[in-house]
Amino acid sequence: MKTTERVEQAFKRIKELLTLVTDWTKQPKEEDALTKEFREKKLQLIEDLYKQLGELNDRFMFTHESEFKTKEYVVQYDALKKKIHDLEK
């Protein structure tokens, strides 16, 4: 192979690599309907879990200790926080 052919092939490989990098870093212009719906449902689930967490806190603060013990509160609180954390990933 001649030097000019090697240089031309190297330029072609560089061009291919640059197009791959631009494709990987480019953000999609429009999301498809399924992805958009999935993201909205996920956000709604997270919002609902935060509401449940608030209700749990209210229940713990304003009920008698005999009805709702601290251990039950901690178990339920940790379960809700874990669900929220998993969905926010």
Side-chain angles (χ1 to χ4, degrees), residues 7-58:
V7 170
E8 287 176 3
Q9 287 183 355
F11 279 132
K12 287 179 184 178
R13 289 192 304 259
I14 290 172
K15 185 177 178 181
E16 289 174 8
L17 289 173
L18 288 175
T19 56
L20 284 174
V21 168
T22 56
D23 287 344
W24 286 336
T25 58
K26 190 187 321 179
Q27 297 293 330
K29 292 180 181 177
E30 287 186 23
E31 295 179 344
D32 58 346
L34 186 62
T35 305
K36 187 175 181 179
E37 183 180 347
F38 177 74
R39 191 179 74 237
E40 289 173 0
K41 297 265 185 191
K42 187 175 172 182
L43 290 173
Q44 183 64 40
L45 279 173
I46 291 171
E47 185 179 326
D48 290 344
L49 287 171
Y50 274 116
K51 286 178 184 177
Q52 289 178 14
L53 196 60
E55 291 170 1
L56 179 68
N57 287 333
D58 286 345

Side-chain angles (χ1 to χ4, degrees), residues 67-79:
E67 293 178 21
F68 191 65
K69 299 192 186 265
T70 304
K71 184 177 179 182
E72 295 172 26
Y73 167 76
V74 171
V75 169
Q76 291 179 13
Y77 180 85
D78 287 341

